[in-house]
Amino acid sequence: MIERTRIADLAALPDGPVSVAGWVETVRDQKKVQFVVLRDETGAAQLVNPATREAEDGDDTAQVALATTNEISDLAKGTFVHVQGTLKHDERVKLGGLEVKVGSLTVVSAAIPETPIADDSSLDKRLDWRFLDLRNRKQNLIFRIQTTMEHAFRSYWIDRDYIEIHTPKLMASASESRAELFQLEYFETTAYLAQSPQNFKQMAQPAGFGAVFEIADAFRADPSFTSRHATEFTSVDAEISWVESHQDVMAMHEEVLVAGFTAVKEKYGAEIEEVFGFEFVVPAAPFPRVTLAEARKIVADSGYDVVRADGDLDPEGERRVSAWAKETHGSEFVFVTDYDATIRPYYHMRHEDDPTLTNSYDLLFNGAEISTGAQREHRVDRLAAQAEEKGLDTAEIDWYLDFFRYGVPPHGGFGMGLARVLMLALHEPSIREVTYLFRGPTRLTP
Ligand code: AMO
């Protein structure tokens, strides 16, 4: 490895010789002194170089110093450099209270001087140049937060003996409805990209795995351009056996989220406050719970003419239920439960005493849906009847119905969009900001 100290680690070093490496953020080229802000993946530090404008004849040291001065004058923003120098702690230096006096500077990879994006570039333009857009503290922090949150979800499940699965993303049939389905040529036949791991995470139940989870890509041919839809997104899924109802899934779900938010708060709470300007709050479980019928009433009582023709909450309805949860329960999260069977997939279990309702829920967070969960119908006759009722061809899903013909425990689970959680947790306006490389109807590159 090339010898270097990561910039965040400089603070702990004593004054003395040091190597640092990274890219040039700014150059301030003054007559007598040059300042360079150097950034790496951990932070930024100031380099300082006393400018040598003219070399004295026969003085080798001066020649070297002049070469360095000229090199710094020519540095384009974004150029990657390796620097050997002398670390000096100095409280007066605004950036981190330290600076590195340049001894030698090597240009490792020069950048073209005209940077294609600026701070005020449109989001679309920034996404065209995503690798440059990501070269800043805020974006870097977003993906560190994502790493910590995902890790905490995984740890929660691994600590409780869940099995991590990797289900195939190439399928012979739809995993959700036939809408929003990507179709592709697959040798002599047609394949579809998985819209969710739904069928295959349920397969772990008759397979005797007990509790499983998966964090992986899901694909939806959704033509919309909203701030919360992508055509490819990371879905966080779990499926557990022996549930008595969706309430058991919800109890696990909120614990997973509390674990994720706690880990982020511990590691990045202070930095989030500094960079994003708000206090990152760890939610308290249990989250408030309302049935969809109650949620409709809350929305109506708030003076908004409810919802869509099918009885589901529309985005404004979701915002109002969220606002209600915040006002009455001080919670940014709220479970909306017991959805009408007409607006739920065939595999959701229905109430024993009222088959118009399902053992299902959506989880709303800061005004929008982040997750759907349910107890599944595991009795194959009912499952097939519900599929038929929804107009599905049961022959096409016979392989899935087989899962329920050879013994299966009652089970349930949820799917949650990772980018939605991040977007709403960090109060970002679009999932494009919190997705490494966004995919939408008109974006396939970079
Ligand atoms: P659902 O279709 O509600 O349920 O999806 C679950 C969660 O996935 C996220 N999501 C999306 N995120 C970004 N872009 C999209 N186009 C997109 N579509 C969905 C949302 C959503 O809440 N199989 C069920 C889950 C289950 O019952 O286990 C399912 O896929 O955050």
Side-chain angles (χ1 to χ4, degrees):
M1 295 290 283
I2 292 172
E3 192 205 323
R4 62 152 187 157
T5 299
R6 298 185 331 152
I7 288 172
D9 299 332
L10 290 176
L13 287 190
D15 286 359
V18 75
S19 298
V20 285
W23 65 93
V24 172
E25 202 165 71
T26 58
V27 179
R28 238 180 339 128
D29 194 6
Q30 296 173 354
K31 195 156 179 246
K32 295 215 162 109
V33 62
Q34 298 173 304
F35 295 103
V36 176
V37 173
L38 183 77
R39 187 173 282 282
D40 72 6
E41 71 275 27
T42 66
Q46 177 166 289
L47 309 178
V48 59
N49 183 52
T52 303
R53 298 297 175 184
E54 272 172 36
E56 285 159 31
D57 280 351
D59 180 346
D60 285 352
T61 333
Q63 291 293 353
V64 171
L66 177 65
T68 305
T69 299
N70 290 343
E71 198 140 44
I72 290 176
S73 297
D74 290 346
L75 280 179
K77 184 178 168 180
T79 294
F80 276 71
V81 296
H82 185 233
V83 175
Q84 249 130 15
T86 313
L87 172 66
K88 186 160 178 279
H89 292 268
D90 181 347
E91 274 176 14
R92 290 168 305 176
V93 179
K94 266 210 215 130
L95 190 61
L98 54 82
E99 61 186 14
V100 175
K101 186 166 171 239
V102 177
S104 69
L105 178 143
T106 311
V107 170
V108 178
S109 171
I112 295 176
E114 292 78 29
T115 311
I117 52 167
D119 288 347
D120 60 353
S121 295
S122 69
L123 177 56
D124 222 35
K125 182 94 190 277
R126 287 200 280 117
L127 295 188
D128 286 342
W129 294 95
R130 186 61 163 160
F131 61 97
L132 296 177
D133 181 46
L134 291 174
R135 271 189 200 171
N136 69 58
R137 186 175 178 200
K138 183 174 167 189
Q139 299 291 353
N140 190 282
L141 181 58
I142 288 173
F143 292 95
R144 287 179 188 280
I145 292 167
Q146 176 178 280
T147 304
T148 298
M149 192 174 283
E150 248 185 278
H151 182 73
F153 293 161
R154 275 207 170 81
S155 294
Y156 174 92
W157 285 317
I158 290 169
D159 289 350
R160 285 159 187 79
D161 229 11
Y162 282 57
I163 294 177
E164 181 165 10
I165 54 172
H166 299 287
T167 63
K169 303 306 160 204
L170 289 168
M171 297 185 62
S173 56
S175 40
E176 300 293 334
S177 76
R178 287 200 67 90
E180 304 175 353
L181 198 53
F182 280 117
Q183 182 175 321
L184 56 131
E185 280 172 31
Y186 192 75
F187 304 103
E188 302 294 302
T189 180
T190 299
Y192 304 97
L193 293 180
Q195 299 151 297
S196 81
Q198 186 62 38
N199 306 123
F200 299 129
K201 67 176 177 168
Q202 279 192 262
M203 191 192 88
Q205 301 302 320
F209 277 25
V212 296
F213 73 93
E214 176 170 15
I215 302 179
D217 280 13
F219 302 88
R220 306 264 170 118
D222 190 327
S224 60
F225 289 89
T226 76
S227 60
R228 48 165 135 163
H229 287 94
T231 50
E232 179 175 0
F233 64 96
T234 304
S235 184
V236 178
D237 280 83
E239 199 70 24
I240 53 176
S241 49
W242 301 113
V243 303
E244 282 183 305
S245 77
H246 52 311
Q247 298 289 340
D248 293 329
V249 181
M250 287 153 61
M252 177 267 285
H253 195 165
E254 62 195 1
E255 278 189 22
V256 173
L257 280 163
V258 170
F261 277 64
T262 303
V264 170
K265 173 89 176 177
E266 275 170 13
K267 193 158 181 188
Y268 295 114
E271 211 176 332
I272 291 172
E273 195 149 348
E274 198 186 326
V275 175
F276 288 88
F278 66 87
E279 193 195 342
F280 189 81
V281 180
V282 177
F287 303 161
R289 289 144 160 78
V290 286
T291 63
L292 178 62
E294 288 162 348
R296 285 189 195 117
K297 190 160 180 312
I298 288 165
V299 176
D301 289 351
S302 77
Y304 179 64
D305 245 348
V306 170
V307 293
R308 312 185 323 191
D310 61 9
D312 204 350
L313 298 174
D314 62 5
E316 178 57 25
E318 289 178 354
R319 276 191 283 279
R320 295 202 176 214
V321 176
S322 255
W324 169 86
K326 182 91 180 122
E327 247 166 60
T328 56
H329 292 81
S331 175
E332 294 181 333
F333 289 85
V334 54
F335 283 117
V336 180
T337 68
D338 305 90
Y339 276 70
D340 303 352
T342 48
I343 50 175
R344 289 312 230 196
Y346 70 97
Y347 55 79
H348 283 195
M349 186 178 274
R350 298 186 181 173
H351 285 200
E352 221 41 49
D353 53 355
D354 180 0
T356 67
L357 297 176
T358 55
N359 280 1
S360 73
Y361 67 89
D362 271 9
L363 178 56
L364 309 184
F365 172 38
N366 274 344
E369 174 201 323
I370 55 166
S371 189
T372 295
Q375 179 176 15
R376 320 303 184 185
E377 180 51 75
H378 62 279
R379 295 158 297 187
V380 71
D381 297 345
R382 291 199 191 191
L383 185 59
Q386 289 178 190
E388 256 167 35
E389 188 192 304
K390 295 267 181 195
L392 269 84
D393 178 0
T394 47
E396 205 181 284
I397 54 162
D398 203 48
W399 59 273
Y400 170 66
L401 296 175
D402 273 346
F403 298 166
F404 307 88
R405 290 184 174 124
Y406 298 86
V408 58
H411 61 278
F414 71 81
M416 177 167 73
L418 183 60
R420 290 230 187 141
V421 179
L422 278 173
M423 167 181 87
L424 295 159
L426 298 175
H427 306 173
E428 284 294 292
S430 166
I431 67 169
R432 292 160 183 75
E433 297 278 5
V434 298
T435 304
Y436 183 63
L437 282 171
F438 172 75
R439 287 289 175 261
T442 56
R443 183 164 289 281
L444 270 174
T445 55

